[in-house]
Amino acid sequence: MGLFDFLFGNKTKKIQDFKSRGAIIVDVRSKGEYESGAIPGSKNIPLQNISSKIDEIKKWNKPVIACCASGMRSASAAGILKSNGIEAMNGGGWFGLSKKL
């Protein structure tokens, strides 16, 4: 296990664990960004709307992998989801994440 894995965990393994349990990918970019390219099957909920969608997301009863363009907005979204009792992780930028799925 490398130092990076020790400090931050192995993100690829965590993504695979989430996916094996039916995780939903939530892309928190704007509608326009999402329409210009996204992970097939992902759901678009812009970051500014995530708090108002908590009840809907909880009904999915699935872990959530948040993604955006670079990982900044998805980090915020994952934090909001976790603070509301939803199992969530920051998947980072959507394009990089799509290569790990």
Side-chain angles (χ1 to χ4, degrees):
M1 176 183 287
L3 180 60
F4 183 82
D5 286 348
F6 176 75
L7 293 174
F8 302 103
N10 187 317
K11 191 174 190 176
T12 301
K13 284 184 182 176
K14 189 171 182 180
I15 289 167
Q16 292 307 321
D17 172 55
F18 270 49
K19 286 297 292 173
S20 73
R21 295 184 290 123
I24 305 294
I25 299 169
V26 175
D27 191 318
V28 298
R29 296 176 296 153
S30 70
K31 184 179 179 184
E33 287 175 291
Y34 183 79
E35 289 174 349
S36 71
I39 295 172
S42 63
K43 297 184 182 289
N44 180 223
I45 304 175
L47 179 59
Q48 63 268 28
N49 300 338
I50 207 90
S51 292
S52 66
K53 300 287 187 179
I54 294 296
D55 289 337
E56 175 186 331
I57 295 167
K58 282 184 175 183
K59 288 177 186 172
W60 299 342
N61 201 29
K62 302 267 187 192
V64 173
I65 302 172
C67 68
C68 62
S70 68
M72 296 299 292
R73 287 174 283 181
S74 54
S76 295
I80 292 166
L81 295 171
K82 286 180 193 175
S83 71
N84 282 279
I86 297 167
E87 185 179 11
M89 69 170 287
N90 178 9
W94 75 272
F95 190 76
L97 175 60
S98 70
K99 303 296 183 202
K100 295 176 183 169
L101 298 174

